[in-house]
Amino acid sequence: NLKFLNDTTLIKKPKYKPCMLYNAMIAPAETFTIKGFLWYQGESNQHNYFDYDKLQVSMVNLWRKEWKNEDMPFYYVQLVPFPFDGAERISLSLVIEAQYKALQHISNAGIVATTDLGHFTCIHPPRKKEIGQRLAALALRKTYQINGVLPDAPMIDKVVFEGNKA
């Protein structure tokens, strides 16, 4: 891939590397004081659900290390329902499962459910305000100890199988 610089100089664009995104988007913010992280990402990770939880845990650990706060709040958004790879495929469900697995390994973290906010024909959910409100409610309760809001969605504690019923 070639790109012109100042209409006369030709430069070669580097190939994509994960560190490029970090260096371009996260590293410049490391000089700022922050209270915590709100994270909404994952659509492009639908095909690597098998290690999504490990990658997310590593990312959180790295960010907390860079901000020198190993217990900084990290709140994130469950992927919204969308048939990424077709209505009969299960990659979305497996990514969501990995997002919840990551929650078990990240201290001072939370996830907001979006099962009711997706749109079957649009990858970008139209109800972003509700997603923001759920993140705000989570931060208000967990970081600022403001009661009266219930941001957490129900989570399965255990499953009992009897015959063909769960």
Side-chain angles (χ1 to χ4, degrees):
N1 294 332
L2 300 176
K3 179 181 176 184
F4 283 98
L5 180 65
N6 297 332
D7 294 329
T8 58
T9 308
L10 198 61
I11 62 169
K12 192 169 189 173
K13 289 170 62 176
K15 293 186 187 247
Y16 170 80
K17 294 181 183 174
C19 60
M20 290 174 56
L21 290 174
Y22 181 86
N23 290 335
M25 301 178 83
I26 304 301
E30 290 174 1
T31 59
F32 296 101
T33 301
I34 63 172
K35 182 74 173 178
F37 303 104
L38 300 178
W39 180 250
Y40 186 173
Q41 182 275 338
E43 287 89 348
S44 62
N45 293 99
Q46 63 165 312
H47 296 294
N48 62 330
Y49 55 83
F50 49 87
D51 63 359
Y52 184 92
D53 57 322
K54 295 170 209 64
L55 292 171
Q56 184 146 355
V57 169
S58 294
M59 180 189 76
V60 172
N61 290 338
L62 171 67
W63 289 9
R64 287 175 170 174
K65 179 183 170 194
E66 293 302 317
W67 266 274
K68 298 172 180 51
N69 183 345
E70 293 184 17
D71 199 42
M72 187 177 284
F74 183 82
Y75 307 132
Y76 56 106
V77 178
Q78 170 193 320
L79 290 187
V80 297
F82 181 79
F84 291 103
D85 55 358
E88 293 79 35
R89 306 298 169 113
I90 62 168
S91 69
L92 173 65
S93 299
L94 295 172
V95 173
I96 292 171
E97 179 182 37
Q99 288 182 299
Y100 279 89
K101 280 183 186 176
L103 185 62
Q104 297 171 7
H105 301 285
I106 304 171
S107 64
N108 199 14
I111 186 170
V112 297
T114 59
T115 307
D116 58 329
L117 299 177
H119 192 277
F120 189 77
T121 62
C122 182
I123 193 169
H124 301 289
R127 297 174 60 194
K128 291 178 178 65
K129 179 179 179 182
E130 289 87 344
I131 293 171
Q133 289 170 328
R134 291 176 188 184
L135 281 168
L138 185 60
L140 285 172
R141 195 191 80 220
K142 291 188 71 144
T143 300
Y144 298 99
Q145 290 74 47
I146 296 175
N147 294 321
V149 292
L150 299 172
D152 296 324
M155 292 176 52
I156 294 174
D157 189 25
K158 69 178 182 176
V159 177
V160 176
F161 293 94
E162 293 179 9
N164 61 355
K165 295 181 181 180

